[in-house]
Amino acid sequence: MKKLFSILLMSMILCSTLFANGSKETASSSLDTWPQEPITVICPWAVGGVADLVNRKAAVYGQELLGQPVLATNELGAGGNVALTNFLKNKANAYNLIFGGEGAFSIAPNVDGKEAIMFTYDDYVPVMNMYSATFVMTADAKLNITNLDELKAYGKDHKCKVAVNGIAGSEAFIAKALFKELGIELTLVSYNGANLALNAVSKGETEFALSHQSQAKGAVEAGIITPVTVFSDKAVSNEVFKDVKPVGDYGITSFFPNTCFLLARKGTSPEVISKIRNAYLEIMQKEDMKKLFSQLMIEPSTWTAEDMNNHIAHVTQIVKDNN
Amino acid sequence: MDLFMQGSSLLFNVPNFLYMNLGLFLGVIFGAIPGLTVILCIVLFLPFTYTLGAVESFMFLLGIYCAGSYGGSISAILIKTPGTPHAAATMLDGYPLTQKGQSMKALKMALNASTFGGIFSAVVLLFFAPQVAKFAQMMGTPEYFLVCAFGLTIIAGVSGNNLIKGIIAGAFGLFISTIGIDAMSGGTRFIFNNINLYSGIALVISLIGLFALSEVLAKSEKDVVDTTVNKEALNKQNCKFTKEEKKSVRRPMIVSAIIGVIIGIIPGTGASMASFFSYDRARAMSKHPEEFGKGSLEGISACETANNAVTGATLIPLLTMGIPGDGSVAIMLGALMINGLTPGPNLFSEHGPIMYAIMIGLIFVNLFMYLQGKVLTRWFAKVISVPVGLLTPIIVMFCFAGAFSVNSSLFDIKITLVFAVIAYIMSKFGFSTIPVLLGLVLGTLTEENFRRSLVLSDGKWDIFVSSPICIVFLFLITITLILIIRSQIKTNIIKGTK
Amino acid sequence: MKKFLDSVDLLIDNTGTKLERHNMNVPINIVGAILFIIIAIVGLSLVPSQIKLNTSSAITARTFPLLMLRIVLIFSVVLLLKDIIAIIRKKDIEMKEINLLVEIRALIILAMLILFLVLLHFSSFIASSIVFGILMLFYFRSRKLSSYIIICSSAIIIGFLFQYVLKVRLP
């Protein structure tokens, strides 16, 4: 029996040491020598998605450019909003960074369910924009619609069905904004993922779909769907999307690219921010990062903090106008 | 044929088989531990594949995927806790066999059936992918809805002895599945302004509560100090199948393999639905339907064949159209992209050799799964010789760790506890919890596809009779309902005459 | 020490046997039905506040949950009526013996699970697991030292296995 007692005592002692370990602080002591610990970059979206791929590839260069390993992780739930909420537990200058974008800061606070959003854009400091991805609108190839003029003509006597990923996603809002400016009617059909939305247009279930370029690439190459327009100021012309006229050519302004901001917790010192920013800007220049970007059909971005703030404000306005 | 040879030469490299076996081993472990899912395993080990080539990384991921699909049956059979949602149907007959001291037999049947299902679907993928893909493209939103609606009729089969209670439990599960953001309108439902409920309740989370933790609560039933299943019985187990047994499982295995493939090509449905479907079909076809739920080998063979037959089939829409059929496959899509392969109709013409290497590799994945399974099950089977008093807290530790790992959230553990209490109370009052799970599996899919159909048709209901496939399913649903009602009337008459 | 534990055991045993005599014969269908009727009514009454509507089409976000709750309600009422009619006709209805001791034990296990959860909020996974494991063994009245060692080491092994081998994040 004595043995039992001593074992219990032992385990209690063990527990207490572990307890002590559990409540470790993560704030840094000196900013000059930042970082002194490994940095974690949280991607709040799906594994295997564009942001995740970029995050993991970029993390490889962490040791080289920041002097500490960078760990890429994912924390899912509520389209990224759970991770962004949990991130608020971090203090300024913490070793955790997170991705976020217009979905979390412009859309989520302005649509249904906003009551559950406990964070605002001001809770974070933007470090840099990892990439910009231009959305593309595609049509069932049978319709033979390849630009906005043809879309307008078609829309006169048709109510257009547009497949999008999620009814309150970026794609849904730019679709609504575009059709409003063109003055034609649309029905948004929400699918559970961009691939399924594209599949719907491939099957002829809907007439149009909105997605990233890389997502539509396969079906466009196969000639099942045709690109109608890209949501940008400048024309896109690569081996898949040949001379696709942008919405900008038609004087349309209510559009935005998909972005992926790297964010730190509010209050993080400017020196730390610029240290991370410079490191990441350099990472983006690496050959295999460039290769990945072209594979994913996304563009590197040199946006400043002001550009990022403007983007959030711009998208917020579009969301409010089209809700 | 040329591509076939090129593919084979790409595949037959030692590293491919090393990564395949590593993946298989991880998959079995993640599948068997309640709370650790195949998706989680793929997510955690994905970075690993970023440095590998396309074939190597695919062999690794497919190893995880297939073995994980099988691994769930191990814990379902041994400790009455399905390691994955699709092993819930396996549990219905697997655990009774363990209680009879025939756990090895059950495990062996699960392994045989899983291997058969896996190889069947791999062969379909290899030889009939284009045809199956064409069929898949004929199925649209209204067809998906009718498949789900047909799936709901299974509730009658898993209700236990009281259909009314089964319907109540099923509707309750369907209701719970609506919690979270409504995908069709963007509005929230029953989230009580809690961000953690925003995307609904993950299936694994409810699974841990409904089956694993409620079982822990049920340990209050008896004194379980140091009790174990008879060790001698374990060693002396006769795990040779008799001729009749071999014969009896042949038909359900073939039918289930076909069901698995059909369900597999429908995006979003997945293995759980396939295994319930086949379980229901196997019982309907069986000569001994009364043995189902009491340790029927046919039951085990049916669901395990089906949930592994899904594995090859989900790859068909992925490789031919770039449509991921479930979460795990969606991640594999990423693995393809990082290697510069864009899934889509042109994938086969542009990267033929790699595609053939992957498809032939899938057959070997299943063969090696069989070999690993043979060794590992012997090892796993020892679990039941651990005293219950010792095993229970360890299971709870696994469950808590697993529940936490899904979203790195303690809130999810709270949810599992709520489900555990619900399941405990329900079983006290004679409600089966399987219909709740079925409701959770089918709820979102059923509702979304129903409402999406009506959006597509501008609110006209004739969309549900717009294609031959729709009409076939409507017919099947009607027949099934008539049969259910008829058997209910019959049993009532029997009860009445007593 | 042994004496103390034995006296604790004796005390528990005595209360146990006292409680064990408290048996209730419960008409399970009736109680089950009433339970689900309550759930359905609470659910239905919460629908207007929990599901906001922004469209006026025939099929909305409310349609499906409302339908399900109504099915729960209607079938629970049917279940209840069936048994009530059986009682009136003096036929047998399904009864089940509910033992007070068993239920109290279940509550104790639940309390331990909740304690485990609460501990996770404040401390590491391994520490909480050890505390929970020891409590659980105590509950199962295990007096074997080896069991306690096994539990503590399994907690540590699971913790390390998850975090470092399987790379799963833990609290």
Side-chain angles (χ1 to χ4, degrees), chain A residues 15 18-19 21-23, chain C residues 116 119-120 122-129 171:
Chain A
C15 289
L18 287 162
F19 268 97
N21 274 335
S23 57
Chain C
F116 190 6
L119 280 175
L120 284 177
F122 301 105
S123 69
S124 74
F125 176 77
I126 295 178
S128 321
S129 300

Side-chain angles (χ1 to χ4, degrees), chain A residues 56 78 161 190 203 205 217, chain B residues 47 139 141 199 342 452 456:
Chain A
R56 289 177 192 273
K161 290 196 186 74
S190 161
K203 282 192 283 203
E205 214 172 81
K217 188 180 163 201
Chain B
M139 309 252 286
T141 304
S199 36
T342 309
R452 193 176 297 129
L456 286 167

Side-chain angles (χ1 to χ4, degrees), chain A residues 43-45 50-52 54 98-107 121 126 128-135 170-171 174 212 231 255-263 293 298-304 307-315:
Chain A
C43 171
W45 306 301
V50 172
D52 176 60
V54 171
I98 195 166
F99 284 171
E102 61 278 349
F105 304 123
S106 302
I107 300 178
Y121 182 52
M128 72 171 284
N129 180 21
M130 302 289 286
Y131 60 78
S132 289
T134 308
F135 290 109
S170 298
E171 290 95 327
I174 49 175
H212 281 209
F231 291 84
F255 66 87
F256 52 90
N258 177 222
T259 59
C260 172
F261 294 176
L262 179 65
L263 305 158
F293 272 51
I298 51 178
E299 296 115 52
S301 155
T302 48
W303 279 7
T304 59
D307 292 333
M308 290 190 259
N309 299 344
N310 288 343
H311 173 77
I312 296 297
H314 173 60
V315 179

Side-chain angles (χ1 to χ4, degrees), chain B residues 96 156 190-191 205 250 276 293 316 329 406 425 436 474-475 498:
Chain B
F190 284 89
I191 68 164
I205 300 297
R250 221 170 280 160
F276 277 116
I316 296 176
V329 183
V406 177
I425 295 173
V436 181
L474 277 175
F475 181 70
K498 267 182 187 171

Side-chain angles (χ1 to χ4, degrees), chain A residues 49-276:
Chain A
V50 172
D52 176 60
L53 292 175
V54 171
N55 189 18
R56 289 177 192 273
K57 200 97 190 178
V60 174
Y61 296 101
Q63 180 80 54
E64 182 188 326
L65 290 161
L66 281 162
Q68 282 287 344
V70 172
L71 309 170
T73 64
N74 299 70
E75 201 179 321
L76 306 180
N81 295 332
V82 169
L84 284 161
T85 311
N86 290 339
F87 189 78
L88 299 183
K89 288 177 200 148
N90 285 291
K91 296 197 177 98
N93 301 316
Y95 288 104
N96 290 327
L97 303 169
I98 195 166
F99 284 171
E102 61 278 349
F105 304 123
S106 302
I107 300 178
N110 293 302
V111 295
D112 282 329
K114 56 185 166 216
E115 301 84 9
I117 303 291
M118 298 299 168
F119 56 82
T120 68
Y121 182 52
D122 298 330
D123 290 320
Y124 313 84
V125 196
V127 180
M128 72 171 284
N129 180 21
M130 302 289 286
Y131 60 78
S132 289
T134 308
F135 290 109
V136 59
M137 179 161 154
T138 45
D140 188 347
K142 284 182 221 103
L143 300 174
N144 238 336
I145 297 173
T146 53
N147 57 48
L148 283 189
D149 293 321
E150 287 165 12
L151 172 65
K152 244 190 216 165
Y154 179 82
K156 260 182 202 154
D157 41 355
H158 291 88
K159 193 174 181 190
C160 302
K161 290 196 186 74
V162 183
V164 288
N165 170 22
I167 200 79
S170 298
E171 290 95 327
F173 283 103
I174 49 175
K176 276 196 241 177
L178 174 71
F179 277 73
K180 197 162 138 194
E181 290 201 46
L182 292 175
I184 50 181
E185 262 192 286
L186 94 161
T187 309
L188 281 179
V189 188
S190 161
Y191 287 84
N192 213 338
N195 294 300
L196 293 178
L198 283 161
N199 187 39
V201 69
S202 306
K203 282 192 283 203
E205 214 172 81
T206 64
E207 290 126 328
F208 305 95
L210 254 80
S211 67
H212 281 209
Q213 290 177 62
S214 61
Q215 291 159 337
K217 188 180 163 201
V220 171
E221 274 180 327
I224 303 172
I225 56 176
T226 48
V228 176
T229 186
V230 285
F231 291 84
S232 163
D233 276 328
K234 41 186 202 296
V236 164
S237 191
N238 46 45
E239 70 222 50
V240 188
F241 298 93
K242 293 185 185 78
D243 301 313
V244 184
K245 269 187 152 186
V247 289
D249 281 9
Y250 296 85
I252 283 160
T253 51
S254 302
F255 66 87
F256 52 90
N258 177 222
T259 59
C260 172
F261 294 176
L262 179 65
L263 305 158
R265 184 74 171 98
K266 180 173 74 179
T268 299
S269 77
E271 295 88 55
V272 170
I273 298 286
S274 75
K275 215 175 228 175
I276 309 171

Side-chain angles (χ1 to χ4, degrees), chain B residues 433-485:
Chain B
T433 43
I434 299 278
V436 181
L437 179 69
L438 204 59
L440 287 167
V441 169
L442 291 174
T444 321
L445 270 177
T446 316
E447 188 198 4
E448 268 182 34
N449 283 310
F450 175 68
R451 286 169 57 196
R452 193 176 297 129
S453 300
L454 288 177
V455 171
L456 286 167
S457 72
D458 294 315
K460 292 189 201 77
W461 288 69
D462 60 1
I463 191 169
F464 297 115
V465 290
S466 60
S467 79
I469 301 178
C470 282
I471 292 169
V472 168
F473 273 103
L474 277 175
F475 181 70
L476 285 174
I477 294 169
T478 322
I479 299 250
T480 316
L481 288 180
I482 291 172
L483 287 177
I484 292 169
I485 294 167

